Amino acid sequence: MKWQWIADNWDQISDYGWAHLWLAVVPVIVGTVLSIPLGWIANRYRFTRGTLLVLGGVLYAIPSLPLFVVLPSILGTKILDPVNVEVALSIYALAIMLRSAADAFASVDRNDILSADAVGYGALRRFVTVELPLAGPVLLAGVRVVSVSTVSLVTVGSLIGVNSLGYFFIDGYQRDFPTEIWVGVIGTVLIALVLDAILVIIGRVTMPWAKRSPRVRARREAVAREAINT
């Protein structure tokens, strides 16, 4: 490692690090928000589950680099516009989160839903105060997987000129300069770890009941394993 090079180029490293973080966070939020109603629909209406999950699999199967190249012509943006990367990564985030969201709502005990109906909860109130909180721990497990996946995929955007920590992979490889490559790798891993830690803290603060439920823990672990396998 050339520590002097890192010190001399710290401003560029930090700028690309913040850009990398922003390019990752927006798609994770968008994918999660869109997946919640779609996951609920997939669980509520069984005939839609197969269609939506197959659609998610098809979306995730689209190669990232060709998608980055094609999107500008679809969106009417310039090829170097970061919006192209954010839209593409939002598609991938949604594709992964669809199954997690469907499984999250499926993990809600049917008796809890019936109890809410029995005391007169409407569909919207039941969703907001019963189904969504109880599905939260499994949803969070899916978001954590999406977060790590998105942080890694951001680096591909550097191939079309959208700068992130992926720039150091490319430049370091072209110059045969391992220090640059290591800066990109370590920076990307650190961002993934920081985002995951933030998500864990959010989960512990907002859903303290999750760690006390063996059923929720088992379902959460199953969702993580399924996401990794896909």
Side-chain angles (χ1 to χ4, degrees), residues 72-116:
S73 61
I74 298 175
L75 300 176
T77 55
K78 295 181 180 179
I79 195 167
L80 297 182
D81 195 327
V83 170
N84 301 316
V85 174
E86 291 183 343
V87 170
L89 296 183
S90 296
I91 292 173
Y92 291 130
L94 175 60
I96 297 175
M97 275 300 299
L98 267 175
R99 179 176 293 277
S100 297
D103 289 344
F105 288 107
S107 71
V108 177
D109 196 320
R110 181 66 179 168
N111 291 328
D112 294 325
I113 297 176
L114 294 176
S115 297

Side-chain angles (χ1 to χ4, degrees), residues 13 21 42 50 98 122 140 213 229:
I13 294 170
L21 178 63
L98 267 175
L140 179 61
S213 172
N229 290 334

Side-chain angles (χ1 to χ4, degrees), residues 7-8 27 39 43 47 59 75 96 101 106 114 121 127 145 148 151 161 190:
D8 292 341
N43 178 64
F47 66 91
L59 290 175
L75 300 176
I96 297 175
L114 294 176
Y121 279 23
F127 172 79
V145 173
V148 173
V151 169
L190 286 176

Side-chain angles (χ1 to χ4, degrees), residues 99-153:
R99 179 176 293 277
S100 297
D103 289 344
F105 288 107
S107 71
V108 177
D109 196 320
R110 181 66 179 168
N111 291 328
D112 294 325
I113 297 176
L114 294 176
S115 297
D117 290 337
V119 297
Y121 279 23
L124 180 59
R125 185 182 180 189
R126 185 187 67 199
F127 172 79
V128 173
T129 62
V130 178
E131 294 180 75
L132 186 57
L134 292 177
V138 181
L139 280 172
L140 179 61
V143 175
R144 291 177 66 186
V145 173
V146 169
S147 173
V148 173
S149 173
T150 303
V151 169
S152 65
L153 282 172

Side-chain angles (χ1 to χ4, degrees), residues 2 5 11 23 34 41 50 59 76 90 92 101 116 137 162 169 171 185 190 192-193 196 206 212 225:
K2 303 291 186 181
W5 180 90
D11 288 342
L23 287 170
L34 292 178
I41 291 172
L59 290 175
S90 296
Y92 291 130
V162 177
F169 298 165
D171 195 59
V185 171
L190 286 176
L193 291 175
D196 188 67
T206 60
R212 297 195 297 267
R225 286 196 300 270

Side-chain angles (χ1 to χ4, degrees), residues 38-54:
L38 291 175
W40 182 86
I41 291 172
N43 178 64
R44 182 79 169 97
Y45 304 103
R46 296 296 182 178
F47 66 91
T48 65
R49 181 181 177 90
T51 301
L52 287 173
L53 295 186
V54 168

